[in-house]
Each structure stands twice: as structure tokens, then as C-alpha cells.
Amino acid sequence: MLTLSLNTKESNNKFFALQDRRMRNHANKTLYTQAQQIRLDRIKLALELVLRGTVYEPSYGKKSGSVKVQDGALIADRKTLRLLEQDWAAEGIFKKVSAQGFQYHMPL
């Protein structure tokens, strides 16, 4: 699976960053088909089964949708996660890693 590393920094004004993210997420969700939205929801559910930690709701961007996992999540079932990542890689889904956690991206 393709894995990218990101250099990110925290925002000083988290309240307004959250409001902006929610607004953009809602607007961009209309760019995705029902099947793509369901696919991201299923990725979230699969991650919740194999990880012990916070898995966030899908985020919808203009170029890709993603499901983020908070840093510090424990992998409960490594074998199943490896199989899921192989299936996702075949579909073009890739992984991004940052100091805040990791994300699985599905291109639009």
C-alpha cells in the first residue's frame, strides 16, 4: 500500500478551524456518489473492528475522501488490517501518516 508522510502543525484557533472543516465537508460531500459515500463509511467500520482508538467520521475533500485514525490507536488484529490494506490498495486507496495519526484516502 502506498504510504505518504505529512508534516502538519496544529491550528491556534481550533474552534474556527473545526467550523470551517465542517462547512467544507458538508459542501464537498455533494461531489461524491452514494456508492462512494457508502465505501468511506464501510472503511470506517472496518477500521473500528481492527483498531482500538478513535476513528473519525469520513471527511470529504475536493480531490479525495478520507477516514482518519487518531495517533495512539492500537492495532487489535494486524492480519485483518493487512488484508484490508491490500484490498484497498487494489482500489486505489492509499495511506497518509502524520504526527496526528494516519488517514486512508479514496480519490474522487
Side-chain angles (χ1 to χ4, degrees):
M1 169 170 269
L2 175 64
T3 303
L4 303 173
S5 294
L6 303 174
N7 293 326
T8 58
K9 55 184 175 180
E10 296 270 333
S11 171
N12 290 335
N13 199 338
K14 293 181 182 183
F15 174 76
F16 290 109
L18 177 64
Q19 295 300 326
D20 183 56
R21 184 185 66 81
R22 285 182 179 166
M23 182 186 66
R24 283 185 291 113
N25 193 40
H26 184 68
N28 290 336
K29 190 173 182 178
T30 62
L31 301 173
Y32 293 80
T33 64
Q34 190 71 27
Q36 290 171 321
Q37 292 175 23
I38 290 170
R39 185 67 184 132
L40 284 171
D41 287 334
R42 288 182 178 170
I43 290 171
K44 178 188 181 292
L45 290 173
L47 289 172
E48 287 175 338
L49 291 173
V50 298
L51 298 172
R52 299 294 175 255
T54 305
V55 180
Y56 295 102
E57 291 295 320
S59 296
Y60 300 93
K62 290 184 179 179
K63 296 181 181 177
S64 68
S66 66
V67 177
K68 183 177 180 180
V69 178
Q70 186 177 20
D71 186 40
L74 300 174
I75 301 172
D77 190 352
R78 291 184 187 279
K79 184 178 178 182
T80 304
L81 180 61
R82 190 171 35 251
L83 292 172
L84 287 169
E85 286 180 345
Q86 288 175 357
D87 289 343
W88 295 339
E91 296 175 23
I93 297 170
F94 59 96
K95 183 178 183 179
K96 289 185 180 180
V97 179
S98 71
Q100 298 168 344
F102 55 94
Q103 305 171 12
Y104 290 94
H105 281 266
M106 180 183 73
L108 182 62

